[in-house]
Amino acid sequence: MRPSFLQDDHDMFRDSLRKMLEAEAYPYYEQWEKDRRVPRELWEKLGENGFLLPWVDEAYGGLGLDFSYSTVLIEELERVGSGLASGVCLHSDIVSPYIAKYGTEEQKQRWLPKSVTGEYISAIGMTEPGTGSDLAAVRTTAIKEGDHYVLNGEKTFITNGEQADYVVVVCKTDPKAEPAYRGISLLVVEEGMEGFSRGRQLDKVGMYCGDTSELIFDNVKVPAENLLGEEGKGFYYLMEMLQQERIVVALQVQIEAEEMVDLTVDYVKEREAFNQKISKFQNTRFKVAEMATEVDIGRKYINNLIEQHLKGNEIVKEVSMAKWWISEMAKKVAAEAMQLHGGYGYMEEYEIARRYRDIPVTSIYAGTTEIMKEIIAKNILD
Ligand SMILES: Cc1cc2nc3c(=O)[nH]c(=O)nc-3n(C[C@H](O)[C@H](O)[C@H](O)COP(=O)(O)OP(=O)(O)OC[C@H]3O[C@@H](n4cnc5c(N)ncnc54)[C@H](O)[C@@H]3O)c2cc1C
């Protein structure tokens, strides 16, 4: 059943997106995985057809829609594959909203229209080699000198890092601030700035076509007008935006789990052993029943959160619950799905192999399962 936040217009949006992906993405996905990247042309085609940042105001080239359309985008991209969805959704629904929400008029004009067309790809640099979960401990510094900041530090594991035209960088403008989070600001670093370079494109266990890179800032002179919002407010901005980030990721993982169950159902209905379909063994039936139940619970929960998020409700605790539970559920589904595929599940020509290796990172990025539980416990106990 269609959730209440999806109407006929969303179906039309979905149909045209799916048609585009069937022509421009599905046939090439395997090659992109080998190339370790999604080509820029795909970004531009998504942009041309109105599928990037559909929520942005028409004044900046968008369609002026709401987050409900983004959920369609997330679902359809994820059905193609995680490596594609993680980069595009990060750009469209995680990074660009920082510009729209905290940017000045000039900043919005500078970065949003080209983000809508796909000419610009964006990234966000929080994690550093020495710190991930403990965001307040970042060591990248931006010291003000006249009309610019001098930025020094390193970021790692940055999605879209290799291709990004601009990066929202989490840095300390006041490294001595107490408590440390009060010294955090967000600076936008642009391609071509002297001293800004990319390190390695990282070799991952899965999501091969997703570009994940190191970023290096060596005395980068970042103009003061590239500061997002106010100095020292960066940590608050991050906390405010994490609700949507975690809904985006939880929905992506939910789709992965649904895809893995569908793949498994098709497989066990075809494959035979001991003169009967695998689907006739009680073990298979129970495993499929368990997976389908958990996936259905996940779907109902995430749909409910999307509805509340659209209403503007603060649901940080519930979103943290969804993020950890759905990603841990999907990891279980991945293991069972592969088991039911037998040896073929371990072969690259079967899609379950790719889905299986794409899943484990989902309980790590956008806040680990342990950090999600900390947030939930803090909300209940403190
Ligand atoms: C493919 C990929 C893409 C990514 N994309 C981005 C991106 O675009 N931008 C970005 O900034 N980052 C990105 N990340 C980084 C990601 O967000 C971090 O890896 C994550 O936040 C965890 O940080 P860490 O790796 O430093 O692990 P650590 O923080 O070192 O954690 C190691 C372990 O200790 C546990 N732990 C830590 N603190 C606690 C605690 N208080 N209580 C209990 N357990 C704890 C963790 O849960 C984990 O199990 C990406 C990572 C990957 C793998």
Side-chain angles (χ1 to χ4, degrees), residues 29-59:
Y29 197 78
E30 223 178 290
Q31 188 57 46
W32 297 343
E33 287 275 282
K34 289 189 184 129
D35 297 345
R36 299 297 197 259
R37 75 170 47 196
V38 173
R40 260 186 187 263
E41 297 80 72
L42 194 271
W43 288 79
E44 285 162 9
K45 278 180 189 145
L46 286 166
E48 268 165 39
N49 289 284
F51 298 128
L52 295 178
L53 289 66
W55 49 269
V56 157
D57 270 5
E58 289 169 26

PDB file of all heavy atoms in Angstrom, residues 29-59:
ATOM      1  N   TYR A  29      25.943  -0.544 -14.936  1.00  0.00           N
ATOM      2  CA  TYR A  29      26.341  -0.563 -13.521  1.00  0.00           C
ATOM      3  C   TYR A  29      27.552  -1.468 -13.258  1.00  0.00           C
ATOM      4  O   TYR A  29      28.471  -1.096 -12.530  1.00  0.00           O
ATOM      5  CB  TYR A  29      25.154  -0.976 -12.635  1.00  0.00           C
ATOM      6  CG  TYR A  29      25.402  -0.624 -11.192  1.00  0.00           C
ATOM      7  CD1 TYR A  29      25.244   0.676 -10.743  1.00  0.00           C
ATOM      8  CD2 TYR A  29      25.848  -1.578 -10.278  1.00  0.00           C
ATOM      9  CE1 TYR A  29      25.502   1.027  -9.422  1.00  0.00           C
ATOM     10  CE2 TYR A  29      26.111  -1.239  -8.958  1.00  0.00           C
ATOM     11  CZ  TYR A  29      25.928   0.071  -8.540  1.00  0.00           C
ATOM     12  OH  TYR A  29      26.203   0.406  -7.247  1.00  0.00           O
ATOM     13  N   GLU A  30      27.521  -2.638 -13.892  1.00  0.00           N
ATOM     14  CA  GLU A  30      28.629  -3.585 -13.682  1.00  0.00           C
ATOM     15  C   GLU A  30      29.960  -2.969 -14.113  1.00  0.00           C
ATOM     16  O   GLU A  30      30.980  -3.102 -13.438  1.00  0.00           O
ATOM     17  CB  GLU A  30      28.353  -4.838 -14.504  1.00  0.00           C
ATOM     18  CG  GLU A  30      28.659  -6.114 -13.759  1.00  0.00           C
ATOM     19  CD  GLU A  30      28.307  -7.313 -14.613  1.00  0.00           C
ATOM     20  OE1 GLU A  30      27.090  -7.536 -14.811  1.00  0.00           O
ATOM     21  OE2 GLU A  30      29.240  -7.991 -15.078  1.00  0.00           O
ATOM     22  N   GLN A  31      29.937  -2.249 -15.230  1.00  0.00           N
ATOM     23  CA  GLN A  31      31.149  -1.594 -15.718  1.00  0.00           C
ATOM     24  C   GLN A  31      31.592  -0.502 -14.745  1.00  0.00           C
ATOM     25  O   GLN A  31      32.782  -0.358 -14.456  1.00  0.00           O
ATOM     26  CB  GLN A  31      30.896  -1.008 -17.117  1.00  0.00           C
ATOM     27  CG  GLN A  31      32.162  -0.467 -17.774  1.00  0.00           C
ATOM     28  CD  GLN A  31      33.265  -1.526 -17.904  1.00  0.00           C
ATOM     29  OE1 GLN A  31      33.010  -2.657 -18.314  1.00  0.00           O
ATOM     30  NE2 GLN A  31      34.494  -1.172 -17.515  1.00  0.00           N
ATOM     31  N   TRP A  32      30.639   0.256 -14.202  1.00  0.00           N
ATOM     32  CA  TRP A  32      30.995   1.312 -13.237  1.00  0.00           C
ATOM     33  C   TRP A  32      31.660   0.701 -12.008  1.00  0.00           C
ATOM     34  O   TRP A  32      32.584   1.278 -11.443  1.00  0.00           O
ATOM     35  CB  TRP A  32      29.756   2.106 -12.794  1.00  0.00           C
ATOM     36  CG  TRP A  32      29.073   2.853 -13.894  1.00  0.00           C
ATOM     37  CD1 TRP A  32      29.595   3.156 -15.134  1.00  0.00           C
ATOM     38  CD2 TRP A  32      27.752   3.399 -13.862  1.00  0.00           C
ATOM     39  NE1 TRP A  32      28.653   3.839 -15.862  1.00  0.00           N
ATOM     40  CE2 TRP A  32      27.530   4.011 -15.124  1.00  0.00           C
ATOM     41  CE3 TRP A  32      26.739   3.434 -12.913  1.00  0.00           C
ATOM     42  CZ2 TRP A  32      26.330   4.644 -15.436  1.00  0.00           C
ATOM     43  CZ3 TRP A  32      25.538   4.064 -13.223  1.00  0.00           C
ATOM     44  CH2 TRP A  32      25.346   4.671 -14.468  1.00  0.00           C
ATOM     45  N   GLU A  33      31.156  -0.469 -11.598  1.00  0.00           N
ATOM     46  CA  GLU A  33      31.764  -1.134 -10.440  1.00  0.00           C
ATOM     47  C   GLU A  33      33.231  -1.461 -10.751  1.00  0.00           C
ATOM     48  O   GLU A  33      34.105  -1.293  -9.908  1.00  0.00           O
ATOM     49  CB  GLU A  33      30.997  -2.412 -10.085  1.00  0.00           C
ATOM     50  CG  GLU A  33      29.641  -2.159  -9.429  1.00  0.00           C
ATOM     51  CD  GLU A  33      29.712  -1.957  -7.917  1.00  0.00           C
ATOM     52  OE1 GLU A  33      29.842  -2.951  -7.174  1.00  0.00           O
ATOM     53  OE2 GLU A  33      29.628  -0.782  -7.492  1.00  0.00           O
ATOM     54  N   LYS A  34      33.477  -1.911 -11.986  1.00  0.00           N
ATOM     55  CA  LYS A  34      34.864  -2.227 -12.380  1.00  0.00           C
ATOM     56  C   LYS A  34      35.699  -0.957 -12.472  1.00  0.00           C
ATOM     57  O   LYS A  34      36.859  -0.935 -12.083  1.00  0.00           O
ATOM     58  CB  LYS A  34      34.881  -2.941 -13.741  1.00  0.00           C
ATOM     59  CG  LYS A  34      34.336  -4.355 -13.661  1.00  0.00           C
ATOM     60  CD  LYS A  34      34.558  -5.114 -14.951  1.00  0.00           C
ATOM     61  CE  LYS A  34      33.912  -6.481 -14.836  1.00  0.00           C
ATOM     62  NZ  LYS A  34      33.040  -6.803 -15.954  1.00  0.00           N
ATOM     63  N   ASP A  35      35.091   0.117 -12.979  1.00  0.00           N
ATOM     64  CA  ASP A  35      35.825   1.396 -13.141  1.00  0.00           C
ATOM     65  C   ASP A  35      36.022   2.130 -11.821  1.00  0.00           C
ATOM     66  O   ASP A  35      36.758   3.098 -11.748  1.00  0.00           O
ATOM     67  CB  ASP A  35      35.044   2.355 -14.065  1.00  0.00           C
ATOM     68  CG  ASP A  35      34.887   1.814 -15.462  1.00  0.00           C
ATOM     69  OD1 ASP A  35      35.606   0.860 -15.813  1.00  0.00           O
ATOM     70  OD2 ASP A  35      34.010   2.333 -16.198  1.00  0.00           O
ATOM     71  N   ARG A  36      35.314   1.673 -10.811  1.00  0.00           N
ATOM     72  CA  ARG A  36      35.350   2.321  -9.480  1.00  0.00           C
ATOM     73  C   ARG A  36      34.815   3.747  -9.524  1.00  0.00           C
ATOM     74  O   ARG A  36      35.233   4.599  -8.752  1.00  0.00           O
ATOM     75  CB  ARG A  36      36.779   2.337  -8.894  1.00  0.00           C
ATOM     76  CG  ARG A  36      37.384   0.951  -8.664  1.00  0.00           C
ATOM     77  CD  ARG A  36      36.568   0.188  -7.627  1.00  0.00           C
ATOM     78  NE  ARG A  36      37.251  -0.954  -7.042  1.00  0.00           N
ATOM     79  CZ  ARG A  36      37.053  -2.235  -7.377  1.00  0.00           C
ATOM     80  NH1 ARG A  36      36.203  -2.542  -8.346  1.00  0.00           N
ATOM     81  NH2 ARG A  36      37.673  -3.206  -6.748  1.00  0.00           N
ATOM     82  N   ARG A  37      33.888   4.023 -10.420  1.00  0.00           N
ATOM     83  CA  ARG A  37      33.226   5.327 -10.395  1.00  0.00           C
ATOM     84  C   ARG A  37      31.987   5.380 -11.282  1.00  0.00           C
ATOM     85  O   ARG A  37      31.869   4.622 -12.236  1.00  0.00           O
ATOM     86  CB  ARG A  37      34.179   6.450 -10.753  1.00  0.00           C
ATOM     87  CG  ARG A  37      34.558   6.614 -12.201  1.00  0.00           C
ATOM     88  CD  ARG A  37      35.318   7.908 -12.424  1.00  0.00           C
ATOM     89  NE  ARG A  37      36.371   8.101 -11.426  1.00  0.00           N
ATOM     90  CZ  ARG A  37      36.967   9.250 -11.190  1.00  0.00           C
ATOM     91  NH1 ARG A  37      36.632  10.324 -11.862  1.00  0.00           N
ATOM     92  NH2 ARG A  37      37.916   9.382 -10.283  1.00  0.00           N
ATOM     93  N   VAL A  38      31.099   6.290 -10.913  1.00  0.00           N
ATOM     94  CA  VAL A  38      29.917   6.589 -11.736  1.00  0.00           C
ATOM     95  C   VAL A  38      30.328   7.783 -12.599  1.00  0.00           C
ATOM     96  O   VAL A  38      30.804   8.791 -12.066  1.00  0.00           O
ATOM     97  CB  VAL A  38      28.717   6.975 -10.838  1.00  0.00           C
ATOM     98  CG1 VAL A  38      27.540   7.445 -11.672  1.00  0.00           C
ATOM     99  CG2 VAL A  38      28.330   5.814  -9.935  1.00  0.00           C
ATOM    100  N   PRO A  39      30.167   7.704 -13.924  1.00  0.00           N
ATOM    101  CA  PRO A  39      30.655   8.824 -14.753  1.00  0.00           C
ATOM    102  C   PRO A  39      29.858  10.107 -14.521  1.00  0.00           C
ATOM    103  O   PRO A  39      28.683  10.057 -14.188  1.00  0.00           O
ATOM    104  CB  PRO A  39      30.463   8.310 -16.183  1.00  0.00           C
ATOM    105  CG  PRO A  39      29.434   7.241 -16.078  1.00  0.00           C
ATOM    106  CD  PRO A  39      29.534   6.652 -14.704  1.00  0.00           C
ATOM    107  N   ARG A  40      30.530  11.204 -14.743  1.00  0.00           N
ATOM    108  CA  ARG A  40      29.889  12.519 -14.579  1.00  0.00           C
ATOM    109  C   ARG A  40      28.674  12.682 -15.486  1.00  0.00           C
ATOM    110  O   ARG A  40      27.722  13.363 -15.130  1.00  0.00           O
ATOM    111  CB  ARG A  40      30.879  13.632 -14.911  1.00  0.00           C
ATOM    112  CG  ARG A  40      31.464  14.224 -13.673  1.00  0.00           C
ATOM    113  CD  ARG A  40      32.320  15.402 -13.964  1.00  0.00           C
ATOM    114  NE  ARG A  40      32.955  15.794 -12.713  1.00  0.00           N
ATOM    115  CZ  ARG A  40      32.510  16.764 -11.917  1.00  0.00           C
ATOM    116  NH1 ARG A  40      31.460  17.465 -12.232  1.00  0.00           N
ATOM    117  NH2 ARG A  40      33.137  17.035 -10.790  1.00  0.00           N
ATOM    118  N   GLU A  41      28.718  12.030 -16.655  1.00  0.00           N
ATOM    119  CA  GLU A  41      27.599  12.165 -17.599  1.00  0.00           C
ATOM    120  C   GLU A  41      26.286  11.717 -16.957  1.00  0.00           C
ATOM    121  O   GLU A  41      25.229  12.251 -17.246  1.00  0.00           O
ATOM    122  CB  GLU A  41      27.806  11.328 -18.876  1.00  0.00           C
ATOM    123  CG  GLU A  41      29.012  11.721 -19.727  1.00  0.00           C
ATOM    124  CD  GLU A  41      30.310  11.157 -19.186  1.00  0.00           C
ATOM    125  OE1 GLU A  41      30.511   9.941 -19.310  1.00  0.00           O
ATOM    126  OE2 GLU A  41      31.116  11.935 -18.629  1.00  0.00           O
ATOM    127  N   LEU A  42      26.374  10.686 -16.098  1.00  0.00           N
ATOM    128  CA  LEU A  42      25.138  10.206 -15.455  1.00  0.00           C
ATOM    129  C   LEU A  42      24.588  11.296 -14.533  1.00  0.00           C
ATOM    130  O   LEU A  42      23.384  11.558 -14.503  1.00  0.00           O
ATOM    131  CB  LEU A  42      25.423   8.917 -14.696  1.00  0.00           C
ATOM    132  CG  LEU A  42      24.263   8.046 -14.212  1.00  0.00           C
ATOM    133  CD1 LEU A  42      23.760   8.397 -12.837  1.00  0.00           C
ATOM    134  CD2 LEU A  42      23.076   8.004 -15.178  1.00  0.00           C
ATOM    135  N   TRP A  43      25.490  11.949 -13.788  1.00  0.00           N
ATOM    136  CA  TRP A  43      25.065  13.046 -12.907  1.00  0.00           C
ATOM    137  C   TRP A  43      24.360  14.116 -13.732  1.00  0.00           C
ATOM    138  O   TRP A  43      23.317  14.643 -13.350  1.00  0.00           O
ATOM    139  CB  TRP A  43      26.278  13.680 -12.208  1.00  0.00           C
ATOM    140  CG  TRP A  43      26.908  12.846 -11.153  1.00  0.00           C
ATOM    141  CD1 TRP A  43      27.767  11.804 -11.348  1.00  0.00           C
ATOM    142  CD2 TRP A  43      26.754  12.970  -9.738  1.00  0.00           C
ATOM    143  NE1 TRP A  43      28.158  11.282 -10.141  1.00  0.00           N
ATOM    144  CE2 TRP A  43      27.565  11.981  -9.138  1.00  0.00           C
ATOM    145  CE3 TRP A  43      26.023  13.827  -8.920  1.00  0.00           C
ATOM    146  CZ2 TRP A  43      27.658  11.822  -7.756  1.00  0.00           C
ATOM    147  CZ3 TRP A  43      26.124  13.678  -7.538  1.00  0.00           C
ATOM    148  CH2 TRP A  43      26.925  12.680  -6.972  1.00  0.00           C
ATOM    149  N   GLU A  44      24.972  14.439 -14.873  1.00  0.00           N
ATOM    150  CA  GLU A  44      24.388  15.507 -15.693  1.00  0.00           C
ATOM    151  C   GLU A  44      23.037  15.092 -16.268  1.00  0.00           C
ATOM    152  O   GLU A  44      22.126  15.911 -16.363  1.00  0.00           O
ATOM    153  CB  GLU A  44      25.385  15.931 -16.783  1.00  0.00           C
ATOM    154  CG  GLU A  44      26.504  16.784 -16.173  1.00  0.00           C
ATOM    155  CD  GLU A  44      27.747  16.905 -17.041  1.00  0.00           C
ATOM    156  OE1 GLU A  44      27.710  16.476 -18.214  1.00  0.00           O
ATOM    157  OE2 GLU A  44      28.759  17.418 -16.529  1.00  0.00           O
ATOM    158  N   LYS A  45      22.913  13.802 -16.628  1.00  0.00           N
ATOM    159  CA  LYS A  45      21.615  13.335 -17.150  1.00  0.00           C
ATOM    160  C   LYS A  45      20.552  13.391 -16.053  1.00  0.00           C
ATOM    161  O   LYS A  45      19.403  13.765 -16.299  1.00  0.00           O
ATOM    162  CB  LYS A  45      21.747  11.918 -17.694  1.00  0.00           C
ATOM    163  CG  LYS A  45      22.313  11.932 -19.096  1.00  0.00           C
ATOM    164  CD  LYS A  45      22.460  10.559 -19.679  1.00  0.00           C
ATOM    165  CE  LYS A  45      23.236  10.662 -20.997  1.00  0.00           C
ATOM    166  NZ  LYS A  45      24.100   9.530 -21.243  1.00  0.00           N
ATOM    167  N   LEU A  46      20.936  13.023 -14.839  1.00  0.00           N
ATOM    168  CA  LEU A  46      19.980  13.126 -13.723  1.00  0.00           C
ATOM    169  C   LEU A  46      19.560  14.583 -13.551  1.00  0.00           C
ATOM    170  O   LEU A  46      18.384  14.893 -13.367  1.00  0.00           O
ATOM    171  CB  LEU A  46      20.613  12.615 -12.423  1.00  0.00           C
ATOM    172  CG  LEU A  46      20.775  11.099 -12.281  1.00  0.00           C
ATOM    173  CD1 LEU A  46      21.714  10.754 -11.127  1.00  0.00           C
ATOM    174  CD2 LEU A  46      19.419  10.424 -12.048  1.00  0.00           C
ATOM    175  N   GLY A  47      20.546  15.478 -13.626  1.00  0.00           N
ATOM    176  CA  GLY A  47      20.274  16.911 -13.477  1.00  0.00           C
ATOM    177  C   GLY A  47      19.351  17.436 -14.566  1.00  0.00           C
ATOM    178  O   GLY A  47      18.351  18.106 -14.278  1.00  0.00           O
ATOM    179  N   GLU A  48      19.697  17.103 -15.820  1.00  0.00           N
ATOM    180  CA  GLU A  48      18.883  17.564 -16.961  1.00  0.00           C
ATOM    181  C   GLU A  48      17.418  17.191 -16.795  1.00  0.00           C
ATOM    182  O   GLU A  48      16.518  17.912 -17.217  1.00  0.00           O
ATOM    183  CB  GLU A  48      19.330  16.839 -18.250  1.00  0.00           C
ATOM    184  CG  GLU A  48      20.378  17.521 -19.068  1.00  0.00           C
ATOM    185  CD  GLU A  48      20.978  16.540 -20.078  1.00  0.00           C
ATOM    186  OE1 GLU A  48      20.220  15.710 -20.645  1.00  0.00           O
ATOM    187  OE2 GLU A  48      22.208  16.604 -20.261  1.00  0.00           O
ATOM    188  N   ASN A  49      17.180  16.027 -16.198  1.00  0.00           N
ATOM    189  CA  ASN A  49      15.801  15.529 -16.081  1.00  0.00           C
ATOM    190  C   ASN A  49      15.111  15.906 -14.771  1.00  0.00           C
ATOM    191  O   ASN A  49      14.039  15.397 -14.462  1.00  0.00           O
ATOM    192  CB  ASN A  49      15.801  14.012 -16.262  1.00  0.00           C
ATOM    193  CG  ASN A  49      16.096  13.631 -17.703  1.00  0.00           C
ATOM    194  OD1 ASN A  49      15.240  13.747 -18.571  1.00  0.00           O
ATOM    195  ND2 ASN A  49      17.329  13.234 -17.970  1.00  0.00           N
ATOM    196  N   GLY A  50      15.764  16.760 -13.986  1.00  0.00           N
ATOM    197  CA  GLY A  50      15.131  17.259 -12.759  1.00  0.00           C
ATOM    198  C   GLY A  50      15.206  16.317 -11.574  1.00  0.00           C
ATOM    199  O   GLY A  50      14.424  16.437 -10.619  1.00  0.00           O
ATOM    200  N   PHE A  51      16.170  15.372 -11.608  1.00  0.00           N
ATOM    201  CA  PHE A  51      16.229  14.380 -10.530  1.00  0.00           C
ATOM    202  C   PHE A  51      17.263  14.702  -9.452  1.00  0.00           C
ATOM    203  O   PHE A  51      17.462  13.911  -8.543  1.00  0.00           O
ATOM    204  CB  PHE A  51      16.483  12.986 -11.111  1.00  0.00           C
ATOM    205  CG  PHE A  51      15.382  12.520 -12.026  1.00  0.00           C
ATOM    206  CD1 PHE A  51      15.662  12.054 -13.297  1.00  0.00           C
ATOM    207  CD2 PHE A  51      14.054  12.573 -11.610  1.00  0.00           C
ATOM    208  CE1 PHE A  51      14.644  11.634 -14.142  1.00  0.00           C
ATOM    209  CE2 PHE A  51      13.031  12.156 -12.447  1.00  0.00           C
ATOM    210  CZ  PHE A  51      13.321  11.681 -13.718  1.00  0.00           C
ATOM    211  N   LEU A  52      17.946  15.830  -9.568  1.00  0.00           N
ATOM    212  CA  LEU A  52      18.863  16.209  -8.489  1.00  0.00           C
ATOM    213  C   LEU A  52      18.249  17.376  -7.718  1.00  0.00           C
ATOM    214  O   LEU A  52      17.737  18.321  -8.329  1.00  0.00           O
ATOM    215  CB  LEU A  52      20.229  16.621  -9.059  1.00  0.00           C
ATOM    216  CG  LEU A  52      21.033  15.528  -9.764  1.00  0.00           C
ATOM    217  CD1 LEU A  52      22.336  16.095 -10.330  1.00  0.00           C
ATOM    218  CD2 LEU A  52      21.347  14.376  -8.817  1.00  0.00           C
ATOM    219  N   LEU A  53      18.319  17.320  -6.401  1.00  0.00           N
ATOM    220  CA  LEU A  53      17.788  18.384  -5.530  1.00  0.00           C
ATOM    221  C   LEU A  53      16.382  18.830  -5.951  1.00  0.00           C
ATOM    222  O   LEU A  53      16.121  20.036  -6.114  1.00  0.00           O
ATOM    223  CB  LEU A  53      18.704  19.620  -5.553  1.00  0.00           C
ATOM    224  CG  LEU A  53      20.072  19.599  -4.901  1.00  0.00           C
ATOM    225  CD1 LEU A  53      21.042  18.653  -5.591  1.00  0.00           C
ATOM    226  CD2 LEU A  53      20.678  20.974  -4.831  1.00  0.00           C
ATOM    227  N   PRO A  54      15.446  17.894  -6.143  1.00  0.00           N
ATOM    228  CA  PRO A  54      14.122  18.313  -6.607  1.00  0.00           C
ATOM    229  C   PRO A  54      13.421  19.259  -5.621  1.00  0.00           C
ATOM    230  O   PRO A  54      12.475  19.958  -5.993  1.00  0.00           O
ATOM    231  CB  PRO A  54      13.354  16.988  -6.737  1.00  0.00           C
ATOM    232  CG  PRO A  54      14.094  16.004  -5.896  1.00  0.00           C
ATOM    233  CD  PRO A  54      15.531  16.451  -5.922  1.00  0.00           C
ATOM    234  N   TRP A  55      13.926  19.311  -4.387  1.00  0.00           N
ATOM    235  CA  TRP A  55      13.312  20.117  -3.332  1.00  0.00           C
ATOM    236  C   TRP A  55      13.736  21.584  -3.373  1.00  0.00           C
ATOM    237  O   TRP A  55      13.157  22.419  -2.675  1.00  0.00           O
ATOM    238  CB  TRP A  55      13.680  19.529  -1.955  1.00  0.00           C
ATOM    239  CG  TRP A  55      15.158  19.266  -1.837  1.00  0.00           C
ATOM    240  CD1 TRP A  55      15.806  18.103  -2.152  1.00  0.00           C
ATOM    241  CD2 TRP A  55      16.177  20.193  -1.449  1.00  0.00           C
ATOM    242  NE1 TRP A  55      17.159  18.254  -1.981  1.00  0.00           N
ATOM    243  CE2 TRP A  55      17.415  19.525  -1.539  1.00  0.00           C
ATOM    244  CE3 TRP A  55      16.166  21.519  -1.029  1.00  0.00           C
ATOM    245  CZ2 TRP A  55      18.632  20.135  -1.232  1.00  0.00           C
ATOM    246  CZ3 TRP A  55      17.375  22.135  -0.716  1.00  0.00           C
ATOM    247  CH2 TRP A  55      18.585  21.431  -0.821  1.00  0.00           C
ATOM    248  N   VAL A  56      14.757  21.895  -4.182  1.00  0.00           N
ATOM    249  CA  VAL A  56      15.282  23.264  -4.167  1.00  0.00           C
ATOM    250  C   VAL A  56      14.300  24.222  -4.839  1.00  0.00           C
ATOM    251  O   VAL A  56      13.646  23.874  -5.811  1.00  0.00           O
ATOM    252  CB  VAL A  56      16.664  23.314  -4.870  1.00  0.00           C
ATOM    253  CG1 VAL A  56      17.001  24.704  -5.385  1.00  0.00           C
ATOM    254  CG2 VAL A  56      17.744  22.860  -3.920  1.00  0.00           C
ATOM    255  N   ASP A  57      14.265  25.443  -4.312  1.00  0.00           N
ATOM    256  CA  ASP A  57      13.396  26.494  -4.866  1.00  0.00           C
ATOM    257  C   ASP A  57      13.654  26.711  -6.346  1.00  0.00           C
ATOM    258  O   ASP A  57      14.793  26.634  -6.803  1.00  0.00           O
ATOM    259  CB  ASP A  57      13.726  27.826  -4.174  1.00  0.00           C
ATOM    260  CG  ASP A  57      12.889  28.013  -2.943  1.00  0.00           C
ATOM    261  OD1 ASP A  57      12.150  27.081  -2.595  1.00  0.00           O
ATOM    262  OD2 ASP A  57      13.003  29.105  -2.347  1.00  0.00           O
ATOM    263  N   GLU A  58      12.588  27.088  -7.040  1.00  0.00           N
ATOM    264  CA  GLU A  58      12.727  27.356  -8.473  1.00  0.00           C
ATOM    265  C   GLU A  58      13.734  28.480  -8.726  1.00  0.00           C
ATOM    266  O   GLU A  58      14.409  28.502  -9.752  1.00  0.00           O
ATOM    267  CB  GLU A  58      11.366  27.690  -9.071  1.00  0.00           C
ATOM    268  CG  GLU A  58      10.492  26.438  -9.129  1.00  0.00           C
ATOM    269  CD  GLU A  58       9.037  26.711  -9.450  1.00  0.00           C
ATOM    270  OE1 GLU A  58       8.756  27.724 -10.098  1.00  0.00           O
ATOM    271  OE2 GLU A  58       8.189  25.891  -9.030  1.00  0.00           O
ATOM    272  N   ALA A  59      13.869  29.400  -7.764  1.00  0.00           N
ATOM    273  CA  ALA A  59      14.818  30.514  -7.921  1.00  0.00           C
ATOM    274  C   ALA A  59      16.246  30.023  -8.115  1.00  0.00           C
ATOM    275  O   ALA A  59      17.086  30.737  -8.676  1.00  0.00           O
ATOM    276  CB  ALA A  59      14.759  31.406  -6.684  1.00  0.00           C
TER     277      ALA A  59
END
